Structures are given as structure tokens and as C-alpha cells.
Amino acid sequence: MDRILSVLVIEDEELTSREVVDCIEKDEGLKLAAATNNSHEALELARMHLPNVIILDLELHYGGGNGILFLHELHKLELELPP
């Protein structure tokens, strides 16, 4: 694989988050950009890291914010991925 994809993980269940992060770290084609349990923090992380992939939990009961609102706010940012 020529290109390594960066991944942002937004998941509030600690065990699930750890499992997803472990899978990403084991895959040579993926790089963990960041992981958080808070959708508000995730917006800033998306802006900073410009991930190729976002794994999003829609219901963040133990973190902060909301996955659907995150998508709405992310769309408003109109971020452009680097070539």
C-alpha cells in the first residue's frame, strides 16, 4: 500500500475505543491521528489532523457531545484534505 490513511476515533466506551485503536495500530496501512470520547474536542482534532477516516460513535453517553451534532459541525468547517 502506497498511502497510509490517518484515522480519528471518537468513541466513549473505553474498551471499544482501546480495541479500535489496537486494530489501527496493528495495520500498516493505518495511522492513528487521535482518539477522544468528546465530540467537541473531536472537531478541533479533525481541524488539526485532517484525518482521512473518522470512526464515530453516534451516542456519546460517557464522553461529551453528540455524534450527529459532530457531523453537522464538521460539515460546516469545510475542511479540505491534503493531496
Side-chain angles (χ1 to χ4, degrees), residues 7-9 11 18 23 28-29 32 41 44 47-48 59 63-64 68 71 77-78 82-83:
V7 182
L8 170 60
V9 176
E11 170 59 63
R18 184 73 248 155
C23 286
E28 292 180 14
L32 181 66
E41 180 181 18
E44 184 58 33
R47 187 184 347 249
M48 283 176 25
E59 296 179 349
I68 299 295
L71 291 174
L77 291 178
E78 297 182 357

Side-chain angles (χ1 to χ4, degrees), residues 7-14 16-18 21 32-46 49 54-57 60 62-65 70:
V7 182
L8 170 60
V9 176
I10 308 165
E11 170 59 63
D12 64 333
E13 295 277 347
E14 227 176 291
T16 302
S17 181
R18 184 73 248 155
V21 167
L32 181 66
T36 183
N37 67 354
N38 183 296
S39 66
H40 305 293
E41 180 181 18
L43 283 171
E44 184 58 33
L45 291 170
H49 297 286
I54 296 175
I55 298 175
L56 173 63
D57 180 357
L60 299 167
Y62 307 112
F70 167 81

